[in-house]
Amino acid sequence: MKLRDLFLLVVANLNRMRGRVVMTMMGVVIGTAAIVILISLSSGLQASTVDNFSQFGSLNQITVFSGSRFGGDSTAEGLTPSAINDLEDIDGVVAVTPYEQFSGQSVLKYNRLEGFGSIYGIDPLVLPDMNFELSEGSATLGAGAVIIGSGVGSGFSEASDSDQGQGGGPTGGPRMMFGPGAQASDTESTTEALDLYGKTIQLELTRMSEDGQENRTVRLRVAGVLASSGGNEDYNIYMSMKDLDSLLAWSRQERPNWVQDGYSQVMVIAEQDADVTLAVTEEITNRGYFTMSTTSIVESLNSVYAIIEAVLGGVASIALLVAAIGIANTMVMSVLERTREIGLMKAIGARNRDVMAVFLAEASAIGVIGGVIGVIVGLVLAQIIGVVASAVVGTESGTTLVVTPLWLPVFAIVFSLVIGLIAGIYPAFRAVQLDPVRALRSE
Amino acid sequence: MALIEIRGLRRYYVMGDTVVRALDGVNLTIEQGEFLCLMGPSGSGKSTLLNMLGGLDKPTDGSIVVAGHRLSELDENGLALYRQHEVGFVFQSYNLIPTFTAAQNVEFPLVFTGVSPEERRHRAGNLLTELGLGDRLHHHPTEMSGGQQQRVAVARSLINQPHILLGDEPTGNLDSKTGAEILNLFVRLNRTGQTLIIVTHDPRVAEYGTRTIHMLDGRIVEDVENAQTNPDPELSPTEESLS
């Protein structure tokens, strides 16, 4: 029996029991649509969560802390320059830089405005590898130069102890969710975001000495402004390690001895590949350091979502299993009703495998047609749910709560085909096993 | 060698505690071109013999050789191929597929043999036209009379050019006039050399055949040559085309 003939025969047979086929198909449609909707929602949730996390840092950057910072009894040596050299030798590592935060007391000033930022010292040679995206300027750090995050400029406001009676700018300007600015109270007047590129800002340092409080002002030229990442980094100020050394020296009244004490943090930049980043992270952890990388957070999130997806998919699959029983039932009924026809087919020379093929193909067709319709219904409903959910939750425009992976429709259709095929096995066997003599005599 | 050779054919069924001897030692030789009528009361074994000849049932014992095929030695697949190429069935209740047109019903057996759709359509159309149903090709069974339906069924049984046409009470559901039409059709086919074997319990039907066999309790009790006392004397214009 040729495939084309089988196809035409199946179409004719399904058309004959149209009503029942449609009702049976409904089960498959519901099951497939449920799979598509639930997995699309869970993928969407995963994508938006991972997206949020990715804002906290480039995926190939690993922040490494010395063990002692957490009070752990790590056996690893401190993050000394020689330790940095060792880290650089790990396979997959592109560059390593100190990532030391300025720990002294300081205020950022621009004209009469006060601002804030976390000051980090880094190795200027590593800048090209840090993948800084600049909105203005260049990624170079000379003496007295800084690269600032996009949020720094918007964090300036009238000094709280200012004696100027000015009303200040509009309130409710850009506010950040995280970072030092979170403490800023709403009553404080703020100005509009400043474009600090090319400007010089002052960093006013304060230290307590035997003579009481001492101040020193350092002038910093803004060599570049980073594009917004949406995370904490927007409030970072990067300077060369050399500059930071001198700030710390004044603030602590002694030069820091990195060779002896080690840095408190270093940044390891790995190759742009999640697997490499994970391998490097693991290696560094094995050496006794504490690490934090967005990739490993994202990775563990992904595995959590994989489980959620599997559970949701499993729940939806139950609907498809029920549909399979429906298909089997419809096909068994069909075999009973068409007993004489099966007898006739055998009498005019249909082989067992022909009879088998007809019934398996009919059951599979119910499955696959239901699957295709179910996928379409599921995709449409998922989009509607996504729009409604975005409106209710109030996500930013552009972020979607529904993501349908490409494999999902294909999988759903193949799955419904297989379900139909399996459901057809028992009825097809019953058809094959009919005795043609008795089948022809049946009423 | 004869077209059909049956030797010591037995077919026993077990029904509950009793053994039913549907066929109990049948010996029979049928030559090419015979129009054989199998007669006998219900349970005499005539239908079982017919099914045996059609490869739908397997003997308990004995041998049955049709056109060189030893049926008792064929497996299910072999029997299906035998039915595909060597025999054509006509049933009492036509057994047409209701959703198929006349032409589709006629070409249906060829679907399983891999003949191309164009060839199938061509052959089915020709055959139905020869049987006087040229204007009914695209009618469904429900749109046709019983006689027309049975003619469609006859066309279907002939589509694979079988050695033997087997009929199980082919006129049982028809009134005597349409029944006679079908029987006359059989006679005309027979005159072109077609071998026919028909089961009937109507003695008038047997008058159309060339040979009548009476069965009782699974055995042949009478075997007579017929003079074809009641065939259709008029030869229809389609007869030439049939030959």
Side-chain angles (χ1 to χ4, degrees):
Chain A
M1 193 172 184
K2 287 185 176 148
L3 215 56
R4 193 190 124 143
D5 292 323
L6 178 64
F7 177 76
L8 293 175
L9 193 58
V10 167
V11 170
N13 285 339
L14 292 183
N15 192 37
R16 184 167 12 155
M17 44 180 194
R18 208 178 309 136
R20 228 177 318 151
V21 165
V22 167
M23 280 189 272
T24 310
M25 232 175 240
M26 285 297 285
V28 184
V29 171
I30 292 170
T32 326
I35 289 180
V36 170
I37 292 171
L38 289 177
I39 293 186
S40 293
L41 283 177
S42 114
S43 300
L45 208 57
Q46 174 179 14
S48 67
T49 317
V50 167
D51 203 40
N52 279 337
F53 267 90
S54 305
Q55 291 175 351
F56 291 113
S58 294
L59 288 170
N60 64 333
Q61 295 180 355
I62 306 158
T63 313
V64 182
F65 311 100
S66 66
S68 60
R69 182 169 163 171
F70 298 99
D73 51 0
S74 166
T75 52
E77 61 172 323
L79 289 163
T80 59
S82 74
I84 287 180
N85 286 340
D86 290 345
L87 290 179
E88 272 169 349
D89 291 339
I90 297 174
D91 271 351
V93 170
V94 174
V96 183
T97 168
Y99 198 72
E100 192 67 29
Q101 190 171 4
F102 177 64
S103 50
Q105 201 182 337
S106 69
V107 179
L108 213 52
K109 288 199 167 174
Y110 181 71
N111 295 339
R112 280 188 302 276
L113 302 174
E114 284 186 6
F116 46 80
S118 307
I119 301 161
Y120 287 92
I122 56 173
D123 181 351
L125 296 176
V126 174
L127 269 172
D129 298 316
M130 291 193 72
N131 303 317
F132 276 148
E133 256 184 70
L134 287 113
S135 61
E136 287 173 297
S138 62
T140 50
L141 281 178
V146 290
I147 294 173
I148 63 172
S150 66
V152 174
S154 57
F156 281 88
S157 60
E158 298 286 341
S160 51
D161 57 353
S162 167
D163 49 8
Q164 305 282 325
Q166 242 169 280
T171 55
R175 283 254 175 273
M176 57 242 80
M177 305 292 287
F178 311 100
Q183 293 108 322
S185 79
D186 282 339
T187 54
E188 220 177 306
S189 56
T190 54
T191 64
E192 286 182 48
L194 300 166
D195 180 10
L196 294 172
Y197 170 60
K199 309 270 169 32
T200 300
I201 54 177
Q202 289 100 44
L203 184 67
E204 196 175 286
L205 306 174
T206 307
R207 72 174 180 196
M208 304 306 277
S209 68
E210 289 154 10
D211 313 327
Q213 190 172 307
E214 284 180 66
N215 287 335
R216 182 189 166 200
T217 300
V218 179
R219 294 168 64 81
L220 299 169
R221 189 174 45 79
V222 177
V225 179
L226 295 172
S228 171
S229 71
N232 267 349
E233 291 172 334
D234 283 353
Y235 301 94
N236 284 359
I237 297 171
Y238 300 97
M239 63 174 56
S240 73
M241 206 52 218
K242 212 172 159 189
D243 284 354
L244 187 78
D245 278 354
S246 60
L247 295 190
L248 285 171
W250 184 83
S251 187
R252 295 177 185 172
Q253 293 176 311
E254 68 171 325
R255 277 205 93 74
N257 186 347
W258 304 122
V259 175
Q260 190 190 313
D261 303 334
Y263 301 102
S264 51
Q265 279 183 48
V266 306
M267 172 81 78
V268 173
I269 296 149
E271 285 167 19
Q272 293 274 19
D273 180 300
D275 290 335
V276 172
T277 307
L278 283 176
V280 170
T281 308
E282 198 185 332
E283 173 60 26
I284 296 171
T285 311
N286 287 344
R287 294 186 181 190
Y289 298 113
F290 290 90
T291 59
M292 201 188 78
S293 71
T294 311
T295 298
S296 46
I297 296 173
V298 166
E299 201 67 17
S300 43
L301 274 177
N302 279 341
S303 52
V304 169
Y305 276 102
I307 293 169
I308 293 177
E309 244 170 54
V311 169
L312 289 179
V315 169
S317 302
I318 292 173
L320 262 193
L321 286 181
V322 174
I325 296 167
I327 295 177
N329 186 38
T330 298
M331 293 311 296
V332 168
M333 294 283 291
S334 173
V335 169
L336 290 177
E337 280 175 5
R338 284 150 66 186
T339 298
R340 267 162 72 107
E341 197 179 308
I342 295 162
L344 173 80
M345 279 171 67
K346 291 190 169 189
I348 63 177
R351 281 163 292 185
N352 281 344
R353 65 164 187 231
D354 296 321
V355 177
M356 186 92 167
V358 168
F359 282 88
L360 283 181
E362 285 179 26
S364 309
I366 295 177
V368 81
I369 296 170
V372 169
I373 297 173
V375 163
I376 295 169
V377 169
L379 289 176
V380 170
L381 283 182
Q383 289 308 317
I384 293 173
I385 291 171
V387 169
V388 172
S390 301
V392 171
V393 177
T395 56
E396 302 157 42
S397 60
T399 52
T400 173
L401 289 172
V402 175
V403 171
T404 308
L406 267 183
W407 58 266
L408 183 58
V410 178
F411 166 80
I413 291 170
V414 171
F415 192 40
S416 51
L417 169 75
V418 171
I419 285 276
L421 193 66
I422 292 171
I425 291 175
Y426 171 67
F429 261 103
R430 282 189 64 153
V432 164
Q433 281 169 346
L434 282 176
D435 170 19
V437 175
R438 278 195 215 165
L440 282 164
R441 261 189 229 137
S442 77
E443 284 307 315
Chain B
M1 186 172 173
L3 178 63
I4 301 168
E5 295 266 9
I6 297 173
R7 293 291 170 263
L9 189 67
R10 283 166 222 279
R11 180 70 173 96
Y12 296 170
Y13 302 98
V14 180
M15 275 198 160
D17 296 337
T18 56
V19 175
V20 179
R21 302 183 170 203
L23 292 178
D24 197 11
V26 170
N27 296 302
L28 182 62
T29 303
I30 301 167
E31 299 293 339
Q32 165 86 41
E34 283 194 69
F35 182 170
L36 186 90
C37 291
L38 286 170
M39 292 194 69
S42 292
S44 61
K46 55 189 192 305
S47 288
T48 305
L49 182 55
L50 192 82
N51 290 333
M52 216 55 96
L53 285 164
L56 290 174
D57 201 354
K58 291 188 96 174
T60 310
D61 192 24
S63 80
I64 174 164
V65 182
V66 180
H69 303 281
R70 293 192 157 273
L71 299 193
S72 52
E73 288 169 13
L74 293 179
D75 60 7
E76 292 237 6
N77 210 29
L79 284 174
L81 290 173
Y82 164 77
R83 294 192 292 263
Q84 225 173 63
H85 297 291
E86 308 295 351
V87 294
F89 281 95
V90 178
F91 306 94
Q92 181 174 357
S93 50
Y94 331 133
N95 275 331
L96 299 178
I97 293 179
T99 50
F100 284 5
T101 62
Q104 286 171 329
N105 266 293
V106 172
E107 64 175 88
F108 195 34
L110 297 180
V111 164
F112 303 107
T113 60
V115 174
S116 76
E118 295 72 31
E119 162 97 18
R120 290 202 307 250
R121 220 165 296 141
H122 179 70
R123 275 162 70 172
N126 279 355
L127 206 47
L128 281 168
T129 307
E130 283 166 20
L131 297 187
L133 291 169
D135 56 344
R136 291 277 188 276
L137 295 184
H138 304 297
H139 285 57
H140 285 86
T142 46
E143 299 165 319
M144 290 187 275
S145 70
Q148 288 172 331
Q149 287 189 54
Q150 194 61 303
R151 269 189 281 166
V152 173
V154 171
R156 179 179 64 195
S157 72
L158 295 170
I159 194 78
N160 56 348
Q161 296 160 325
H163 272 108
I164 321 162
L165 193 155
L166 301 168
D168 196 352
E169 303 273 9
T171 58
N173 278 11
L174 302 172
D175 60 58
S176 56
K177 186 170 167 286
T178 22
E181 277 170 27
I182 295 294
L183 289 167
N184 283 326
L185 173 60
F186 285 166
V187 169
R188 292 205 298 277
L189 287 169
N190 181 232
R191 287 188 182 162
T192 66
Q194 178 68 53
T195 310
L196 296 103
I197 302 171
I198 281 173
V199 162
T200 182
H201 54 249
D202 184 349
R204 282 173 301 171
V205 170
E207 290 172 13
Y208 289 80
T210 58
R211 184 180 173 190
T212 306
I213 284 173
H214 284 266
M215 294 188 70
L216 192 65
D217 298 333
R219 291 164 192 266
I220 293 171
V221 289
E222 196 184 27
D223 184 348
V224 288
E225 294 287 325
N226 263 359
Q228 276 193 307
T229 51
N230 195 11
D232 174 21
E234 294 172 41
L235 295 178
S236 79
T238 58
E239 201 208 337
E240 276 72 35
S241 56
L242 275 173
S243 56

